[in-house]
Amino acid sequence: VLADRGLDGAIHALVLSHSMPVDVEIDIPGRLSAPVESAAYFAVAETLTNVVKHAGASKAWIRLTYDGGRLNILVGDDGRGGADASGGTGLRGIERRLSAFDGTLVVTSPLGGPTVVVMDVPGELISTQPS
């Protein structure tokens, strides 16, 4: 799906496979390189999996935007909070994957929620046609 429909289509297909309601907003004016799209897709997929497994959330939201040569990704949920990137392997694995592209991951997750994971990945558009 990612290769054929791009990041937008792949994220929407991912959300359809989850039973939890997930709001999606994507504003990317074209396609990024395949490695950047792949890293972004798997970062969103892993983060959403963590929400389903650990957050006790009733809903989640995903927002992807592109500005100034950077892909900005936000994944949030209304769960119990307390997520910590230094504990476990899920968020650290995402952080390692993104760091290979000089990307970053910041987690805000106070006890009681909400949890918001913000990821940022540099990448130039290779096409100006939305996917």
Side-chain angles (χ1 to χ4, degrees):
V1 174
L2 185 58
D4 292 337
R5 297 190 351 215
L7 189 55
D8 187 327
I11 296 293
H12 279 94
L14 173 69
V15 166
L16 289 174
S17 72
H18 283 276
S19 59
M20 176 189 309
V22 181
D23 293 329
V24 178
E25 180 183 329
I26 299 177
D27 185 12
I28 304 171
R31 295 285 305 260
L32 296 147
S33 70
V36 170
E37 285 191 340
S38 179
Y41 172 79
F42 286 108
V44 170
E46 178 69 21
T47 304
L48 195 56
T49 296
N50 286 344
V51 169
V52 171
K53 287 172 66 176
H54 305 294
S58 63
K59 68 178 178 177
W61 51 93
I62 300 169
R63 185 175 71 223
L64 283 80
T65 58
Y66 183 82
D67 185 43
R70 300 190 76 82
L71 175 62
N72 305 291
I73 306 164
L74 181 145
V75 179
D77 69 71
D78 68 349
R80 67 175 134 280
D84 182 358
S86 66
T89 58
L91 290 170
R92 280 189 295 164
I94 297 166
E95 192 171 34
R96 279 194 306 275
R97 174 178 278 132
L98 297 179
S99 70
F101 296 90
D102 292 326
T104 59
L105 177 139
V106 176
V107 179
T108 305
S109 186
L111 289 177
T115 295
V116 176
V117 178
V118 176
M119 299 165 270
D120 183 75
V121 185
E124 294 301 318
L125 294 174
I126 60 169
S127 138
T128 56
Q129 298 300 314
S131 51

